[in-house]
Amino acid sequence: MMDKDDNGLEGVVAAHTVLSEVDGAAGRLVLRGHAVEDIAGRWRYEDVLALLWQDFFAPLPAASDLAQALGRARAEVATLLRADDRDVLADLPPVEAMRALLARLPDGDDLPTALRLVAAPVVFTAAVLRGKAGEAPVMPDAAAPHAADFLRMVSGRPATQAQAAALDAYLVTVADHGLNASTFAARVVASTGAGLASAVLAGLSALKGPLHGGAPGPVLDMLDAIGSADAAARWLEAALDRGERLMGFGHRIYRVRDPRADALKKALRELARVGGVEAGRVALAEAVERAALASLQARKPGRVLETNVEFYTALLLEAVGLPREAFTAVFAAGRVGGWVAHAREQVQRGRLIRPQSVYVGPAAEASPAGTSLPVR
């Protein structure tokens, strides 16, 4: 019988995949043969799509051609925006509004469908953010790189090369990460033959849960509350005294430092080098990181609680001009490429996902012959 602690499927293998390997003990994330720290900051997101999608779409264009096709897909998706969207979606959080808009895309299993699904989060998130600010959407530039065009559609002005490179580094680091909750949800739906749009919507619905994709924003709340580097240790100790969790530290899989955190820290430093980040903000973050790791090691010596991807995600997305309430939607903009790849892999190589459950409810009640059970 399944132990009650097994209800999270810990240690259960549900898929064989060529897409990514998460080695929690060694602190490694490998995307189809490439360590994430080797490609983050060097590859564009479009290059990672070409890597993840190979063998799943035939024929798959070269990365440069795929980038152009993705640009055209952004322009196609923008035609789905309506004049009354701002009024209808104004009160929804960005990820909820983006999910509602994403449902306008038809299902399918071909490359054009996949490209529209990758294009949709950036087009819709940008439109929602501008609508909340009382501004009209900025239409996509089909010739622009994906990350740069996203930032331009949000702000209404061209992104700097450093800003686009920083966002690309983020999108690459979160493109795929094993069989996490949202990816598993996408694979379950894909296994039914429902189509890529249905699988992506399932993944997005799982990602918006606060235990999965909702943590980067509160990292900034923590930094704002601390305020200065010399207050970090005192503030963090008080938070731990109250039994609070320190946002941006610890991970369910990694038993050592999250490799994505180092990749994003490097990208943030590169952005700071060209003046794209306030120096004091970076200094505060590094002071908080040092103090938090010291406090956690002293208080919880039996647990490994290292910096995770959320800590430097928050700082990087803030630095490129994205508001914290949109961070989960931006996470989806990166992870959608992985959801699509997993959905296609499941359809091609897997079968209907149908695990067993163990019934632990009350035994069936026996009823005398000729009588019926009471209506309840």
Side-chain angles (χ1 to χ4, degrees):
M1 179 178 290
M2 178 183 287
D3 186 85
K4 66 179 181 179
D5 292 333
D6 293 335
N7 282 335
L9 301 182
E10 195 83 28
V12 174
V13 175
H16 289 82
T17 182
V18 301
L19 296 170
S20 63
E21 178 188 19
V22 183
D23 186 341
R28 282 178 60 80
L29 169 61
V30 177
L31 301 182
R32 255 194 163 167
H34 298 270
V36 71
E37 60 268 27
D38 291 338
I39 60 176
R42 296 184 176 91
W43 289 24
R44 286 179 173 174
Y45 185 63
E46 296 93 317
D47 301 321
V48 172
L49 290 181
L51 176 72
L52 293 177
W53 289 2
Q54 60 182 282
D55 305 326
F56 298 135
F57 297 101
L60 184 69
S64 58
D65 295 329
L66 191 68
Q68 294 178 16
L70 181 56
R72 293 191 294 271
R74 290 194 302 273
E76 292 172 12
V77 168
T79 65
L80 299 177
L81 293 169
R82 301 170 185 163
D84 64 344
D85 282 337
R86 184 168 65 188
D87 297 330
V88 174
L89 304 174
D91 295 332
L92 293 178
V95 70
E96 296 274 15
M98 189 260 283
R99 183 176 63 166
L101 293 169
L102 193 67
R104 294 177 182 173
L105 272 66
D107 252 326
D109 293 301
D110 56 3
L111 181 59
T113 298
L115 288 168
R116 286 191 292 269
L117 287 167
V118 171
V122 303
V123 173
F124 292 154
T125 299
V128 167
L129 291 176
R130 290 188 66 82
K132 287 180 176 294
E135 299 172 326
V138 174
M139 292 297 101
D141 177 359
H146 192 61
D149 203 27
F150 183 19
L151 294 177
R152 186 190 65 85
M153 287 188 288
V154 170
S155 68
R157 57 185 181 275
T160 67
Q161 184 175 352
Q163 288 173 328
L167 182 57
D168 257 321
Y170 170 71
L171 296 176
V172 168
T173 63
V174 300
D176 197 50
H177 196 249
L179 206 58
N180 55 81
S182 60
T183 298
F184 183 57
R187 287 190 78 125
V188 170
V189 171
S191 79
T192 71
L196 288 175
S198 294
V200 165
L201 280 166
L204 178 61
S205 297
L207 186 74
K208 69 178 285 290
L211 297 184
H212 186 9
V219 170
L220 297 181
D221 297 337
M222 178 178 70
L223 294 179
D224 290 344
I226 293 171
S228 62
D230 57 3
R234 183 174 64 257
W235 190 97
L236 294 167
E237 287 290 335
L240 290 172
D241 287 342
R242 295 190 297 270
E244 297 175 4
R245 176 189 170 196
L246 301 187
M247 306 308 295
F249 298 91
H251 194 278
R252 181 167 175 173
I253 301 298
Y254 292 113
R255 301 278 71 90
V256 293
R257 189 177 176 89
D258 186 335
R260 299 169 299 173
D262 286 335
L264 293 181
K265 186 174 184 178
K266 182 179 178 181
L268 188 70
R269 283 178 169 171
E270 182 60 25
L271 189 58
R273 186 184 65 82
V274 296
V277 187
E278 183 184 346
R281 192 67 159 166
V282 177
L284 171 61
E286 292 181 341
V288 169
E289 182 183 26
R290 289 191 298 269
L293 292 176
S295 293
L296 290 168
Q297 184 177 22
R299 288 180 176 244
K300 304 177 188 291
R303 296 181 61 189
V304 179
L305 295 169
E306 289 280 350
T307 311
N308 64 35
V309 68
E310 295 159 356
F311 189 79
Y312 283 103
T313 287
L315 289 154
L316 187 148
L317 296 184
E318 177 187 56
V320 299
L322 294 166
R324 62 192 72 181
E325 63 268 20
F327 284 178
T328 302
V330 181
F331 190 170
R335 185 57 56 85
V336 66
W339 291 334
V340 167
H342 276 272
R344 292 295 295 153
E345 184 178 55
Q346 182 64 38
V347 169
Q348 288 187 7
R349 305 179 183 184
R351 57 186 297 187
L352 177 67
I353 296 176
R354 176 57 168 91
Q356 296 293 317
S357 61
V358 176
Y359 179 67
V360 295
E365 298 178 10
S367 55
T371 64
S372 60
L373 293 174
V375 176
R376 294 178 178 170

